[in-house]
Amino acid sequence: MDAAAAIIAEGRCVALTGAGISVASGIPDFRSSGGLWERFDPMEYATSLAWRTDPDKVWELFRATGTLFHASRPNDAHLAIAQMEKEGWIQAIVTQNIDGLHQAAGSRNVIEFHGNSVDIYCESCGRTFDREESIGFLSSTGAVRCSECGGNVRPSVVLFGEPIPPSALNESVRLAAGCRSMLVVGTSAVVAPASLLPLEASAHGAAIIEVNPERTELSRRATVVLRGEAERVLFKLLDLLRGRMV
Ligand code: APR
């Protein structure tokens, strides 16, 4: 933990987070035992092809996750990350998560690499929907059609086979190439191109700090591995960082 604090204290640290950071908020991750992909086969519910051929089915996943997200609050891990940003220890947070909990915790410079479940729009006419309408969609059934043009309505999430939003991709690669360290929290690091960001950082000389109770694809490449839950580890790390200020 001291080594991790020393690395972050050198400055220009960027956080990369995954579903594990939201587990303590009651949102299951995807690939751990009991994860979302045990309930919903991603190839049936979360691909671009599934969306084109069976939007009703994909809306089942949107409703299950959207209902979870609306009922969830940031946990200590999100709060610690927001405090690290506020105190200048980290520059930005690139998140693979679509639950909006980093922003809810007070983080400001958040890049949503896989979009988000909050911004809902019509694919045909581009009409957007406010929070009340979006919550209303969660209690209806089947695919949602635009009342103005009849087009398919969906959240701004990136399904498998869809492109990462160009602005998010470009900014994330810029941050990875320019950081001196990357704090990688709660990701199995198996889904590209997000999983390539720590490799991009490392290729430019950055140190990699991993926070995860389990071993991952990234562990053997990490400079420091903090083997534990993010909601327990991150505030301890913040305390050590503050201790370096005196
Ligand atoms: N603290 C830290 N890490 C945790 C915690 C916790 N409390 N609980 C679980 N983890 C770890 C798990 O050990 C696992 O390594 O979080 C990781 C979650 O991995 P995944 O479920 O694969 O989630 P993620 O890496 O975010 O998935 C990436 O894949 O399915 C797509 O689009 C989806 O954004 C997602 C992407």
Side-chain angles (χ1 to χ4, degrees):
M1 190 81 88
D2 283 321
I7 289 167
I8 294 172
E10 286 176 10
R12 296 211 328 266
C13 179
V14 170
L16 170 67
T17 66
I21 201 170
S22 296
V23 164
S25 294
I27 302 173
D29 64 16
F30 294 96
R31 294 174 181 84
S32 297
S33 168
L36 269 172
W37 291 157
E38 274 183 14
R39 279 177 59 197
F40 297 96
D41 177 348
M43 291 305 112
E44 273 187 63
Y45 286 89
T47 65
S48 178
L49 179 63
W51 174 248
R52 295 278 160 252
T53 53
D54 192 349
D56 286 18
K57 186 163 225 181
V58 179
W59 259 101
E60 275 182 55
L61 175 63
F62 287 159
R63 283 194 178 90
T65 51
T67 305
L68 262 178
F69 299 154
H70 279 291
S72 302
R73 296 291 168 267
N75 66 64
D76 278 352
H78 298 105
L79 296 169
I81 288 279
Q83 203 52 37
M84 286 179 180
E85 179 192 12
K86 192 174 173 187
E87 296 178 17
W89 301 111
I90 56 176
Q91 292 176 312
I93 300 99
V94 178
T95 188
Q96 300 171 83
N97 301 341
I98 59 173
D99 55 31
L101 290 181
H102 280 300
Q103 295 92 326
S107 287
R108 299 169 66 87
N109 191 6
V110 180
I111 294 98
E112 294 180 314
F113 203 74
H114 291 155
N116 68 68
S117 64
V118 175
D119 299 330
I120 295 190
Y121 69 99
C122 169
E123 277 191 324
S124 302
C125 68
R127 180 184 165 203
T128 56
F129 300 86
D130 63 27
R131 180 177 169 81
E132 195 179 330
E133 290 169 304
S134 303
I135 291 174
F137 294 147
L138 295 180
S139 50
S140 60
T141 54
V144 178
R145 294 274 185 274
C146 177
S147 54
E148 289 186 7
C149 75
N152 273 330
V153 171
R154 61 174 287 175
S156 308
V157 299
V158 178
L159 297 171
F160 287 105
E162 295 182 331
I164 303 299
S167 58
L169 181 60
N170 295 337
E171 179 61 3
S172 300
V173 171
R174 186 189 70 79
L175 287 164
C179 69
R180 289 173 77 167
S181 61
M182 184 171 275
L183 179 64
V184 183
V185 184
T187 181
S188 57
V190 294
V191 175
S195 58
L196 304 178
L197 292 172
L199 308 187
E200 176 74 4
S202 181
H204 284 79
I208 305 298
I209 300 163
E210 181 183 54
V211 179
N212 196 316
E214 306 288 336
R215 199 173 157 62
T216 73
E217 290 293 315
L218 187 65
S219 299
R220 60 190 166 81
R221 294 171 178 265
T223 316
V224 176
V225 173
L226 303 178
R227 190 65 73 219
E229 282 82 9
E231 62 276 16
R232 290 185 174 73
V233 166
L234 292 177
F235 264 118
K236 288 179 186 161
L237 184 55
L238 179 57
D239 285 344
L240 286 173
L241 288 166
R242 286 168 171 165
R244 304 181 72 82
M245 283 174 68
V246 292

mmCIF file of all heavy atoms in Angstrom, residues 181-227:
data_model
loop_
_atom_site.group_PDB
_atom_site.id
_atom_site.type_symbol
_atom_site.label_atom_id
_atom_site.label_comp_id
_atom_site.label_asym_id
_atom_site.label_seq_id
_atom_site.Cartn_x
_atom_site.Cartn_y
_atom_site.Cartn_z
ATOM 1 N N SER A 181 0.750 6.994 -13.812
ATOM 2 C CA SER A 181 0.274 5.767 -13.175
ATOM 3 C C SER A 181 -1.208 5.607 -13.482
ATOM 4 O O SER A 181 -1.906 6.587 -13.755
ATOM 5 C CB SER A 181 0.497 5.803 -11.659
ATOM 6 O OG SER A 181 -0.227 6.890 -11.081
ATOM 7 N N MET A 182 -1.642 4.352 -13.487
ATOM 8 C CA MET A 182 -3.060 4.045 -13.698
ATOM 9 C C MET A 182 -3.514 3.168 -12.529
ATOM 10 O O MET A 182 -2.921 2.125 -12.254
ATOM 11 C CB MET A 182 -3.271 3.339 -15.036
ATOM 12 C CG MET A 182 -4.736 3.083 -15.364
ATOM 13 S SD MET A 182 -5.001 2.487 -17.046
ATOM 14 C CE MET A 182 -5.069 4.067 -17.926
ATOM 15 N N LEU A 183 -4.584 3.647 -11.850
ATOM 16 C CA LEU A 183 -5.172 2.933 -10.708
ATOM 17 C C LEU A 183 -6.337 2.129 -11.266
ATOM 18 O O LEU A 183 -7.380 2.681 -11.607
ATOM 19 C CB LEU A 183 -5.640 3.957 -9.663
ATOM 20 C CG LEU A 183 -6.311 3.432 -8.410
ATOM 21 C CD1 LEU A 183 -5.353 2.577 -7.582
ATOM 22 C CD2 LEU A 183 -6.842 4.618 -7.571
ATOM 23 N N VAL A 184 -6.168 0.808 -11.401
ATOM 24 C CA VAL A 184 -7.164 -0.041 -12.071
ATOM 25 C C VAL A 184 -7.980 -0.766 -11.002
ATOM 26 O O VAL A 184 -7.442 -1.595 -10.265
ATOM 27 C CB VAL A 184 -6.478 -1.059 -13.009
ATOM 28 C CG1 VAL A 184 -7.511 -1.895 -13.756
ATOM 29 C CG2 VAL A 184 -5.573 -0.329 -14.012
ATOM 30 N N VAL A 185 -9.274 -0.435 -10.940
ATOM 31 C CA VAL A 185 -10.098 -0.888 -9.815
ATOM 32 C C VAL A 185 -11.291 -1.706 -10.318
ATOM 33 O O VAL A 185 -12.100 -1.225 -11.114
ATOM 34 C CB VAL A 185 -10.638 0.318 -9.016
ATOM 35 C CG1 VAL A 185 -11.421 -0.153 -7.788
ATOM 36 C CG2 VAL A 185 -9.519 1.269 -8.606
ATOM 37 N N GLY A 186 -11.386 -2.952 -9.848
ATOM 38 C CA GLY A 186 -12.631 -3.715 -10.033
ATOM 39 C C GLY A 186 -12.952 -4.096 -11.457
ATOM 40 O O GLY A 186 -14.107 -4.049 -11.874
ATOM 41 N N THR A 187 -11.907 -4.501 -12.221
ATOM 42 C CA THR A 187 -12.187 -4.991 -13.569
ATOM 43 C C THR A 187 -11.422 -6.284 -13.809
ATOM 44 O O THR A 187 -10.286 -6.440 -13.389
ATOM 45 C CB THR A 187 -11.834 -3.949 -14.648
ATOM 46 O OG1 THR A 187 -12.145 -4.486 -15.947
ATOM 47 C CG2 THR A 187 -10.372 -3.541 -14.621
ATOM 48 N N SER A 188 -12.070 -7.206 -14.551
ATOM 49 C CA SER A 188 -11.402 -8.472 -14.889
ATOM 50 C C SER A 188 -10.409 -8.261 -16.029
ATOM 51 O O SER A 188 -9.646 -9.161 -16.370
ATOM 52 C CB SER A 188 -12.452 -9.498 -15.302
ATOM 53 O OG SER A 188 -13.209 -8.985 -16.401
ATOM 54 N N ALA A 189 -10.463 -7.083 -16.630
ATOM 55 C CA ALA A 189 -9.502 -6.700 -17.688
ATOM 56 C C ALA A 189 -9.500 -7.699 -18.841
ATOM 57 O O ALA A 189 -8.443 -8.065 -19.353
ATOM 58 C CB ALA A 189 -8.095 -6.570 -17.094
ATOM 59 N N VAL A 190 -10.701 -8.136 -19.244
ATOM 60 C CA VAL A 190 -10.775 -9.100 -20.362
ATOM 61 C C VAL A 190 -11.505 -8.555 -21.586
ATOM 62 O O VAL A 190 -11.524 -9.185 -22.634
ATOM 63 C CB VAL A 190 -11.465 -10.422 -19.942
ATOM 64 C CG1 VAL A 190 -10.640 -11.162 -18.916
ATOM 65 C CG2 VAL A 190 -12.877 -10.174 -19.432
ATOM 66 N N VAL A 191 -12.139 -7.368 -21.449
ATOM 67 C CA VAL A 191 -12.928 -6.852 -22.568
ATOM 68 C C VAL A 191 -12.202 -5.676 -23.223
ATOM 69 O O VAL A 191 -12.028 -4.617 -22.601
ATOM 70 C CB VAL A 191 -14.327 -6.431 -22.101
ATOM 71 C CG1 VAL A 191 -15.119 -5.786 -23.233
ATOM 72 C CG2 VAL A 191 -15.089 -7.642 -21.574
ATOM 73 N N ALA A 192 -11.796 -5.873 -24.467
ATOM 74 C CA ALA A 192 -11.132 -4.813 -25.228
ATOM 75 C C ALA A 192 -12.215 -3.913 -25.844
ATOM 76 O O ALA A 192 -13.347 -4.382 -26.066
ATOM 77 C CB ALA A 192 -10.255 -5.426 -26.309
ATOM 78 N N PRO A 193 -11.908 -2.646 -26.164
ATOM 79 C CA PRO A 193 -10.587 -2.041 -26.018
ATOM 80 C C PRO A 193 -10.292 -1.479 -24.625
ATOM 81 O O PRO A 193 -9.173 -1.050 -24.380
ATOM 82 C CB PRO A 193 -10.610 -0.912 -27.054
ATOM 83 C CG PRO A 193 -12.042 -0.529 -27.167
ATOM 84 C CD PRO A 193 -12.824 -1.775 -26.932
ATOM 85 N N ALA A 194 -11.241 -1.530 -23.680
ATOM 86 C CA ALA A 194 -10.953 -0.984 -22.334
ATOM 87 C C ALA A 194 -9.742 -1.692 -21.715
ATOM 88 O O ALA A 194 -8.901 -1.049 -21.075
ATOM 89 C CB ALA A 194 -12.169 -1.140 -21.437
ATOM 90 N N SER A 195 -9.661 -2.999 -21.925
ATOM 91 C CA SER A 195 -8.573 -3.769 -21.287
ATOM 92 C C SER A 195 -7.202 -3.407 -21.859
ATOM 93 O O SER A 195 -6.171 -3.754 -21.285
ATOM 94 C CB SER A 195 -8.820 -5.267 -21.489
ATOM 95 O OG SER A 195 -8.895 -5.558 -22.883
ATOM 96 N N LEU A 196 -7.195 -2.690 -22.989
ATOM 97 C CA LEU A 196 -5.912 -2.290 -23.601
ATOM 98 C C LEU A 196 -5.376 -0.998 -22.998
ATOM 99 O O LEU A 196 -4.191 -0.673 -23.167
ATOM 100 C CB LEU A 196 -6.080 -2.129 -25.121
ATOM 101 C CG LEU A 196 -6.630 -3.355 -25.869
ATOM 102 C CD1 LEU A 196 -6.797 -3.040 -27.353
ATOM 103 C CD2 LEU A 196 -5.737 -4.565 -25.658
ATOM 104 N N LEU A 197 -6.218 -0.268 -22.263
ATOM 105 C CA LEU A 197 -5.794 1.035 -21.729
ATOM 106 C C LEU A 197 -4.630 0.892 -20.740
ATOM 107 O O LEU A 197 -3.644 1.641 -20.830
ATOM 108 C CB LEU A 197 -6.991 1.766 -21.113
ATOM 109 C CG LEU A 197 -8.058 2.228 -22.106
ATOM 110 C CD1 LEU A 197 -9.298 2.758 -21.370
ATOM 111 C CD2 LEU A 197 -7.520 3.283 -23.070
ATOM 112 N N PRO A 198 -4.684 -0.064 -19.799
ATOM 113 C CA PRO A 198 -3.506 -0.218 -18.914
ATOM 114 C C PRO A 198 -2.242 -0.608 -19.677
ATOM 115 O O PRO A 198 -1.135 -0.186 -19.340
ATOM 116 C CB PRO A 198 -3.932 -1.327 -17.940
ATOM 117 C CG PRO A 198 -5.423 -1.373 -18.010
ATOM 118 C CD PRO A 198 -5.778 -0.975 -19.409
ATOM 119 N N LEU A 199 -2.409 -1.359 -20.756
ATOM 120 C CA LEU A 199 -1.243 -1.760 -21.563
ATOM 121 C C LEU A 199 -0.683 -0.539 -22.291
ATOM 122 O O LEU A 199 0.538 -0.383 -22.399
ATOM 123 C CB LEU A 199 -1.644 -2.864 -22.553
ATOM 124 C CG LEU A 199 -2.358 -4.080 -21.960
ATOM 125 C CD1 LEU A 199 -2.542 -5.166 -23.026
ATOM 126 C CD2 LEU A 199 -1.633 -4.624 -20.743
ATOM 127 N N GLU A 200 -1.574 0.331 -22.751
ATOM 128 C CA GLU A 200 -1.148 1.582 -23.406
ATOM 129 C C GLU A 200 -0.384 2.436 -22.400
ATOM 130 O O GLU A 200 0.664 2.994 -22.698
ATOM 131 C CB GLU A 200 -2.399 2.326 -23.918
ATOM 132 C CG GLU A 200 -2.142 3.693 -24.533
ATOM 133 C CD GLU A 200 -1.514 3.617 -25.915
ATOM 134 O OE1 GLU A 200 -1.351 2.480 -26.412
ATOM 135 O OE2 GLU A 200 -1.142 4.670 -26.459
ATOM 136 N N ALA A 201 -0.925 2.512 -21.187
ATOM 137 C CA ALA A 201 -0.257 3.314 -20.144
ATOM 138 C C ALA A 201 1.121 2.728 -19.836
ATOM 139 O O ALA A 201 2.136 3.442 -19.825
ATOM 140 C CB ALA A 201 -1.115 3.342 -18.888
ATOM 141 N N SER A 202 1.144 1.425 -19.661
ATOM 142 C CA SER A 202 2.403 0.747 -19.313
ATOM 143 C C SER A 202 3.434 0.908 -20.436
ATOM 144 O O SER A 202 4.615 1.158 -20.194
ATOM 145 C CB SER A 202 2.098 -0.734 -19.083
ATOM 146 O OG SER A 202 3.237 -1.425 -18.725
ATOM 147 N N ALA A 203 2.953 0.865 -21.675
ATOM 148 C CA ALA A 203 3.872 1.008 -22.829
ATOM 149 C C ALA A 203 4.504 2.400 -22.860
ATOM 150 O O ALA A 203 5.565 2.604 -23.446
ATOM 151 C CB ALA A 203 3.115 0.756 -24.124
ATOM 152 N N HIS A 204 3.824 3.364 -22.214
ATOM 153 C CA HIS A 204 4.375 4.728 -22.154
ATOM 154 C C HIS A 204 5.090 4.980 -20.831
ATOM 155 O O HIS A 204 5.314 6.114 -20.417
ATOM 156 C CB HIS A 204 3.254 5.770 -22.351
ATOM 157 C CG HIS A 204 2.801 5.903 -23.778
ATOM 158 N ND1 HIS A 204 1.931 5.003 -24.361
ATOM 159 C CD2 HIS A 204 3.118 6.798 -24.748
ATOM 160 C CE1 HIS A 204 1.727 5.347 -25.632
ATOM 161 N NE2 HIS A 204 2.429 6.434 -25.898
ATOM 162 N N GLY A 205 5.389 3.873 -20.110
ATOM 163 C CA GLY A 205 6.203 4.025 -18.898
ATOM 164 C C GLY A 205 5.434 4.212 -17.618
ATOM 165 O O GLY A 205 6.021 4.437 -16.549
ATOM 166 N N ALA A 206 4.099 4.115 -17.683
ATOM 167 C CA ALA A 206 3.309 4.326 -16.462
ATOM 168 C C ALA A 206 3.338 3.081 -15.575
ATOM 169 O O ALA A 206 3.463 1.952 -16.062
ATOM 170 C CB ALA A 206 1.866 4.650 -16.836
ATOM 171 N N ALA A 207 3.203 3.325 -14.263
ATOM 172 C CA ALA A 207 3.065 2.216 -13.306
ATOM 173 C C ALA A 207 1.592 1.838 -13.245
ATOM 174 O O ALA A 207 0.722 2.695 -13.398
ATOM 175 C CB ALA A 207 3.549 2.668 -11.932
ATOM 176 N N ILE A 208 1.317 0.550 -13.024
ATOM 177 C CA ILE A 208 -0.065 0.068 -12.951
ATOM 178 C C ILE A 208 -0.319 -0.424 -11.536
ATOM 179 O O ILE A 208 0.438 -1.257 -11.014
ATOM 180 C CB ILE A 208 -0.317 -1.088 -13.951
ATOM 181 C CG1 ILE A 208 0.048 -0.671 -15.382
ATOM 182 C CG2 ILE A 208 -1.776 -1.561 -13.857
ATOM 183 C CD1 ILE A 208 -0.751 0.485 -15.949
ATOM 184 N N ILE A 209 -1.363 0.116 -10.909
ATOM 185 C CA ILE A 209 -1.774 -0.330 -9.571
ATOM 186 C C ILE A 209 -3.137 -0.981 -9.714
ATOM 187 O O ILE A 209 -4.076 -0.368 -10.228
ATOM 188 C CB ILE A 209 -1.883 0.878 -8.612
ATOM 189 C CG1 ILE A 209 -0.539 1.597 -8.493
ATOM 190 C CG2 ILE A 209 -2.376 0.420 -7.230
ATOM 191 C CD1 ILE A 209 -0.654 3.002 -7.910
ATOM 192 N N GLU A 210 -3.231 -2.246 -9.323
ATOM 193 C CA GLU A 210 -4.507 -2.970 -9.445
ATOM 194 C C GLU A 210 -5.137 -3.162 -8.070
ATOM 195 O O GLU A 210 -4.443 -3.580 -7.126
ATOM 196 C CB GLU A 210 -4.289 -4.343 -10.102
ATOM 197 C CG GLU A 210 -5.589 -5.121 -10.269
ATOM 198 C CD GLU A 210 -5.405 -6.509 -10.860
ATOM 199 O OE1 GLU A 210 -4.594 -7.300 -10.321
ATOM 200 O OE2 GLU A 210 -6.076 -6.805 -11.869
ATOM 201 N N VAL A 211 -6.454 -2.847 -7.982
ATOM 202 C CA VAL A 211 -7.220 -3.101 -6.752
ATOM 203 C C VAL A 211 -8.299 -4.114 -7.099
ATOM 204 O O VAL A 211 -9.229 -3.819 -7.863
ATOM 205 C CB VAL A 211 -7.868 -1.813 -6.213
ATOM 206 C CG1 VAL A 211 -8.681 -2.109 -4.946
ATOM 207 C CG2 VAL A 211 -6.805 -0.746 -5.936
ATOM 208 N N ASN A 212 -8.161 -5.327 -6.564
ATOM 209 C CA ASN A 212 -9.096 -6.393 -6.917
ATOM 210 C C ASN A 212 -8.899 -7.535 -5.911
ATOM 211 O O ASN A 212 -7.759 -7.902 -5.646
ATOM 212 C CB ASN A 212 -8.794 -6.890 -8.337
ATOM 213 C CG ASN A 212 -9.932 -7.692 -8.928
ATOM 214 O OD1 ASN A 212 -10.509 -8.541 -8.251
ATOM 215 N ND2 ASN A 212 -10.287 -7.413 -10.180
ATOM 216 N N PRO A 213 -10.004 -8.102 -5.366
ATOM 217 C CA PRO A 213 -9.820 -9.228 -4.436
ATOM 218 C C PRO A 213 -9.343 -10.507 -5.129
ATOM 219 O O PRO A 213 -8.861 -11.425 -4.489
ATOM 220 C CB PRO A 213 -11.206 -9.422 -3.822
ATOM 221 C CG PRO A 213 -12.161 -8.792 -4.769
ATOM 222 C CD PRO A 213 -11.411 -7.709 -5.461
ATOM 223 N N GLU A 214 -9.527 -10.518 -6.460
ATOM 224 C CA GLU A 214 -9.142 -11.717 -7.232
ATOM 225 C C GLU A 214 -7.986 -11.405 -8.187
ATOM 226 O O GLU A 214 -7.788 -10.253 -8.582
ATOM 227 C CB GLU A 214 -10.345 -12.194 -8.081
ATOM 228 C CG GLU A 214 -11.621 -12.429 -7.315
ATOM 229 C CD GLU A 214 -11.558 -13.673 -6.435
ATOM 230 O OE1 GLU A 214 -10.734 -14.580 -6.760
ATOM 231 O OE2 GLU A 214 -12.294 -13.722 -5.435
ATOM 232 N N ARG A 215 -7.314 -12.443 -8.631
ATOM 233 C CA ARG A 215 -6.268 -12.321 -9.661
ATOM 234 C C ARG A 215 -6.960 -12.068 -11.007
ATOM 235 O O ARG A 215 -8.057 -12.572 -11.265
ATOM 236 C CB ARG A 215 -5.516 -13.659 -9.712
ATOM 237 C CG ARG A 215 -4.198 -13.608 -10.339
ATOM 238 C CD ARG A 215 -3.414 -14.922 -10.214
ATOM 239 N NE ARG A 215 -2.429 -14.949 -11.279
ATOM 240 C CZ ARG A 215 -1.451 -14.067 -11.389
ATOM 241 N NH1 ARG A 215 -1.304 -13.156 -10.447
ATOM 242 N NH2 ARG A 215 -0.598 -14.084 -12.407
ATOM 243 N N THR A 216 -6.354 -11.264 -11.861
ATOM 244 C CA THR A 216 -6.946 -11.023 -13.183
ATOM 245 C C THR A 216 -5.884 -11.164 -14.266
ATOM 246 O O THR A 216 -4.691 -11.367 -13.980
ATOM 247 C CB THR A 216 -7.500 -9.588 -13.278
ATOM 248 O OG1 THR A 216 -6.361 -8.687 -13.362
ATOM 249 C CG2 THR A 216 -8.354 -9.218 -12.095
ATOM 250 N N GLU A 217 -6.320 -10.957 -15.504
ATOM 251 C CA GLU A 217 -5.402 -10.974 -16.653
ATOM 252 C C GLU A 217 -4.304 -9.921 -16.493
ATOM 253 O O GLU A 217 -3.243 -10.014 -17.072
ATOM 254 C CB GLU A 217 -6.199 -10.641 -17.927
ATOM 255 C CG GLU A 217 -7.161 -11.727 -18.366
ATOM 256 C CD GLU A 217 -6.436 -12.958 -18.827
ATOM 257 O OE1 GLU A 217 -5.467 -12.811 -19.590
ATOM 258 O OE2 GLU A 217 -6.790 -14.062 -18.368
ATOM 259 N N LEU A 218 -4.642 -8.872 -15.727
ATOM 260 C CA LEU A 218 -3.707 -7.741 -15.619
ATOM 261 C C LEU A 218 -2.697 -7.949 -14.486
ATOM 262 O O LEU A 218 -1.624 -7.337 -14.470
ATOM 263 C CB LEU A 218 -4.503 -6.449 -15.388
ATOM 264 C CG LEU A 218 -3.730 -5.130 -15.408
ATOM 265 C CD1 LEU A 218 -3.139 -4.847 -16.783
ATOM 266 C CD2 LEU A 218 -4.649 -3.976 -14.974
ATOM 267 N N SER A 219 -3.045 -8.809 -13.530
ATOM 268 C CA SER A 219 -2.252 -8.891 -12.289
ATOM 269 C C SER A 219 -0.756 -9.070 -12.528
ATOM 270 O O SER A 219 0.071 -8.403 -11.908
ATOM 271 C CB SER A 219 -2.775 -10.030 -11.407
ATOM 272 O OG SER A 219 -4.126 -9.789 -11.038
ATOM 273 N N ARG A 220 -0.425 -9.929 -13.491
ATOM 274 C CA ARG A 220 1.019 -10.218 -13.679
ATOM 275 C C ARG A 220 1.756 -9.021 -14.296
ATOM 276 O O ARG A 220 2.977 -8.948 -14.234
ATOM 277 C CB ARG A 220 1.209 -11.459 -14.552
ATOM 278 C CG ARG A 220 0.623 -11.362 -15.941
ATOM 279 C CD ARG A 220 0.641 -12.743 -16.651
ATOM 280 N NE ARG A 220 -0.210 -12.752 -17.837
ATOM 281 C CZ ARG A 220 0.172 -12.269 -19.020
ATOM 282 N NH1 ARG A 220 1.369 -11.729 -19.138
ATOM 283 N NH2 ARG A 220 -0.643 -12.297 -20.059
ATOM 284 N N ARG A 221 1.004 -8.083 -14.869
ATOM 285 C CA ARG A 221 1.636 -6.904 -15.478
ATOM 286 C C ARG A 221 1.623 -5.706 -14.530
ATOM 287 O O ARG A 221 2.199 -4.667 -14.839
ATOM 288 C CB ARG A 221 0.896 -6.510 -16.757
ATOM 289 C CG ARG A 221 0.981 -7.519 -17.906
ATOM 290 C CD ARG A 221 0.043 -7.117 -19.007
ATOM 291 N NE ARG A 221 0.111 -8.019 -20.162
ATOM 292 C CZ ARG A 221 0.863 -7.786 -21.229
ATOM 293 N NH1 ARG A 221 1.629 -6.717 -21.268
ATOM 294 N NH2 ARG A 221 0.882 -8.632 -22.251
ATOM 295 N N ALA A 222 0.931 -5.836 -13.399
ATOM 296 C CA ALA A 222 0.776 -4.678 -12.508
ATOM 297 C C ALA A 222 2.088 -4.409 -11.752
ATOM 298 O O ALA A 222 2.816 -5.350 -11.388
ATOM 299 C CB ALA A 222 -0.363 -4.931 -11.533
ATOM 300 N N THR A 223 2.353 -3.127 -11.494
ATOM 301 C CA THR A 223 3.515 -2.743 -10.685
ATOM 302 C C THR A 223 3.252 -3.091 -9.222
ATOM 303 O O THR A 223 4.114 -3.593 -8.512
ATOM 304 C CB THR A 223 3.752 -1.216 -10.832
ATOM 305 O OG1 THR A 223 3.631 -0.848 -12.208
ATOM 306 C CG2 THR A 223 5.079 -0.792 -10.258
ATOM 307 N N VAL A 224 2.016 -2.766 -8.781
ATOM 308 C CA VAL A 224 1.575 -3.063 -7.409
ATOM 309 C C VAL A 224 0.171 -3.666 -7.485
ATOM 310 O O VAL A 224 -0.683 -3.148 -8.212
ATOM 311 C CB VAL A 224 1.525 -1.774 -6.542
ATOM 312 C CG1 VAL A 224 0.987 -2.073 -5.153
ATOM 313 C CG2 VAL A 224 2.903 -1.114 -6.455
ATOM 314 N N VAL A 225 -0.052 -4.748 -6.755
ATOM 315 C CA VAL A 225 -1.398 -5.336 -6.663
ATOM 316 C C VAL A 225 -1.885 -5.188 -5.233
ATOM 317 O O VAL A 225 -1.220 -5.627 -4.294
ATOM 318 C CB VAL A 225 -1.378 -6.832 -7.046
ATOM 319 C CG1 VAL A 225 -2.744 -7.458 -6.781
ATOM 320 C CG2 VAL A 225 -0.997 -7.003 -8.519
ATOM 321 N N LEU A 226 -3.015 -4.492 -5.056
ATOM 322 C CA LEU A 226 -3.655 -4.377 -3.733
ATOM 323 C C LEU A 226 -4.797 -5.379 -3.740
ATOM 324 O O LEU A 226 -5.850 -5.131 -4.323
ATOM 325 C CB LEU A 226 -4.144 -2.943 -3.497
ATOM 326 C CG LEU A 226 -3.051 -1.862 -3.612
ATOM 327 C CD1 LEU A 226 -3.649 -0.465 -3.412
ATOM 328 C CD2 LEU A 226 -1.928 -2.120 -2.620
ATOM 329 N N ARG A 227 -4.547 -6.554 -3.127
ATOM 330 C CA ARG A 227 -5.493 -7.680 -3.223
ATOM 331 C C ARG A 227 -6.584 -7.485 -2.171
ATOM 332 O O ARG A 227 -6.462 -7.898 -1.036
ATOM 333 C CB ARG A 227 -4.710 -8.971 -3.021
ATOM 334 C CG ARG A 227 -5.471 -10.217 -3.316
ATOM 335 C CD ARG A 227 -5.887 -10.403 -4.754
ATOM 336 N NE ARG A 227 -4.842 -10.751 -5.720
ATOM 337 C CZ ARG A 227 -4.809 -10.240 -6.953
ATOM 338 N NH1 ARG A 227 -5.698 -9.325 -7.314
ATOM 339 N NH2 ARG A 227 -3.859 -10.612 -7.803
#
